[in-house]
Amino acid sequence: MKIAITLLLVGGSIAFAAPVIAATAEAHTTYDAAKNSAAADYKIANARCDGMAGNAKDVCVAEAKAARIQIEANAKAVYKGTVSERSNARKDIANANYDVDKAKCENQGGNQKDVCIKQAKATMKAAKADATADKKVIDARTDARDDKQTANYKVAVEKCDTLSGASKNTCIDSAKTKYGQ
């Protein structure tokens, strides 16, 4: 449980640092370090599972894999720095968590097991749907912002038409700078 909480904190801090890290020259090094750290943590966690048997071992291995996937997916999202990659990371994490939940369900029997697996699948689908929806919202807001900028630029250039010569050129240059055109 402590490992899961630590991984969530690391993943969250990586997600918030995404714009900063992705813009630096150290992004690739940070990404490689995160992957190597995830691999080392996975080996340690997997070794702890070797002393277990049955379903407890299956759950332990699934949790170790999920922790590795979470760190690697978040690191890749930060490295790439795109909305699509962040959405993909969230989906990969949802799949890994589903595998953990499914392993936990194997210890139950009958209807309880069926309900448990359906609940795990519903949780996974909800997480994936949220990731897709968030990506669409961000993309829509980006498109809307770009459309507003273009419309405001056109208005500013139209206002410059009343001027002439150097003052008109200055006005147009100012509009280009202000609206990123």
Side-chain angles (χ1 to χ4, degrees):
M1 188 64 179
K2 289 180 183 177
I3 293 172
I5 292 171
T6 303
L7 293 174
L8 288 174
L9 292 174
V10 169
S13 60
I14 288 172
F16 285 117
V20 176
I21 294 174
T24 68
E26 300 167 353
H28 188 71
T29 304
T30 304
Y31 172 58
D32 285 341
K35 283 184 3 182
N36 292 338
S37 173
D41 290 348
Y42 172 73
K43 285 180 183 179
I44 292 168
N46 204 27
R48 278 195 300 249
C49 299
D50 288 340
M52 299 178 182
N55 184 257
K57 182 174 182 172
D58 294 342
V59 171
C60 182
V61 169
E63 287 174 341
K65 286 179 184 178
R68 181 178 184 175
I69 288 169
Q70 182 173 3
I71 291 172
E72 288 178 350
N74 283 327
K76 186 175 181 184
V78 170
Y79 174 64
K80 298 287 183 172
T82 64
V83 174
S84 293
E85 198 57 51
R86 184 69 199 136
S87 180
N88 290 340
R90 290 176 62 189
K91 290 175 184 177
D92 290 345
I93 292 166
N95 285 333
N97 289 338
Y98 171 67
D99 290 340
V100 171
D101 291 344
K102 206 167 58 171
K104 289 178 180 178
C105 294
E106 291 299 319
N107 206 26
Q108 300 176 18
N111 190 358
Q112 282 184 321
K113 180 178 176 180
D114 294 342
V115 170
C116 183
I117 289 174
K118 291 208 187 273
Q119 179 61 50
K121 191 170 221 169
T123 301
M124 177 196 60
K125 285 187 177 188
K128 286 181 167 184
D130 287 344
T132 300
D134 288 348
K135 181 187 177 304
K136 287 180 181 180
V137 167
I138 291 169
D139 288 344
R141 287 186 178 168
T142 301
D143 290 346
R145 185 193 66 231
D146 292 345
D147 291 346
K148 289 176 189 177
Q149 287 285 90
T150 301
N152 288 332
Y153 169 72
K154 288 179 181 179
V155 170
V157 168
E158 188 65 32
K159 289 179 181 178
C160 295
D161 283 345
T162 61
L163 305 172
S164 62
S167 60
K168 181 175 182 176
N169 290 340
T170 303
C171 180
I172 290 174
D173 289 341
S174 175
K176 285 181 180 179
T177 302
K178 183 176 182 179
Y179 297 107
Q181 300 294 322

